[in-house]
Amino acid sequence: WSLSVEEQFYLVWPLLLVLATRVRLKVGLLLGVAVVGSFLFALHLGEIRLDALYFHPLARFWELLFGAGLAYAHHRFGVDVLPARMDRVWVRHLLSLGGLTAVCAAMLTFDGKTPHPGLHALLPLLGAVALIASGPVAMGNRLLAFQPIVRVGLISYPLYLWHWPVLSYLRIMES
């Protein structure tokens, strides 16, 4: 499912960029309208159909658009736009540690009752953006570069892809 949402985003977003270019709409404005529109749609859908909220791609695009926004900032202002504007190294470290704290706080406090996606998703999302924007030499990013953590990261996506078919097969075997 998550791959299908990503793929739909990767098909729709470039088309919107091409259309924006043809009608001379600024990409920053398009990004802002798309983020706000998708986010508001997600909040609305969460009020009327919680089951559809999780699966509806338009309700999830705002999350991917944060990454698109950071990519746009990097493209427009340079890859090191934020770290370069942060003259003092401690500011980069603070941004990355704040991002890491936000992601960890979400991991430790979110549970099955936490509405998702929605307002709560901003915490880990902004944390991830802060980590990426702070640059590779920031302290939080260096902590994430420890070899055991990298090894877990290398196998996490394949585990994510295979866990459901394996669990389903085990249930079939138990029957």
Side-chain angles (χ1 to χ4, degrees):
W1 159 85
S2 65
L3 288 175
S4 70
V5 170
E6 275 185 65
E7 294 306 317
Q8 290 174 50
F9 174 79
Y10 295 138
L11 291 172
V12 171
W13 181 240
L15 290 174
L16 287 176
L17 289 174
V18 168
L19 287 172
T21 305
R22 290 193 181 204
V23 298
R24 298 182 186 196
L25 180 68
K26 294 186 183 228
V27 174
L29 178 63
L30 174 64
L31 264 166
V33 169
V35 166
V36 170
S38 175
F39 184 67
L40 290 176
F41 179 69
L43 293 178
H44 171 69
L45 205 54
E47 294 293 322
I48 60 169
R49 270 196 70 202
L50 197 56
D51 59 332
L53 168 65
Y54 189 76
F55 295 104
H56 200 295
L58 291 178
R60 304 306 297 267
F61 279 2
W62 67 275
E63 296 163 303
L64 294 165
L65 285 166
F66 270 79
L70 188 57
Y72 171 70
H74 284 175
H75 173 73
R76 180 146 185 220
F77 304 110
V79 174
D80 293 326
V81 60
L82 290 177
R85 300 237 169 119
M86 296 177 223
D87 312 23
R88 293 176 171 67
V89 169
W90 66 269
V91 176
R92 293 182 216 172
H93 295 319
L94 190 61
L95 181 64
S96 72
L97 290 172
L100 187 56
T101 301
V103 171
C104 290
M107 286 179 7
L108 297 173
T109 61
F110 287 13
D111 59 18
K113 295 176 185 164
T114 305
H116 183 78
L119 224 40
H120 291 86
L122 282 171
L123 181 65
L125 183 59
L126 292 175
V129 169
L131 280 164
I132 295 167
S134 63
V137 297
M139 193 179 299
N141 294 340
R142 289 191 312 207
L143 288 171
L144 292 173
F146 281 137
Q147 203 56 38
I149 295 174
V150 171
R151 284 191 187 122
V152 169
L154 289 173
I155 65 167
S156 66
Y157 193 65
L159 285 177
Y160 164 73
L161 290 177
W162 281 99
H163 85 283
W164 192 252
V166 169
L167 291 176
S168 297
Y169 183 71
L170 289 174
R171 274 202 194 131
I172 291 169
M173 294 294 291
E174 286 178 351
S175 301

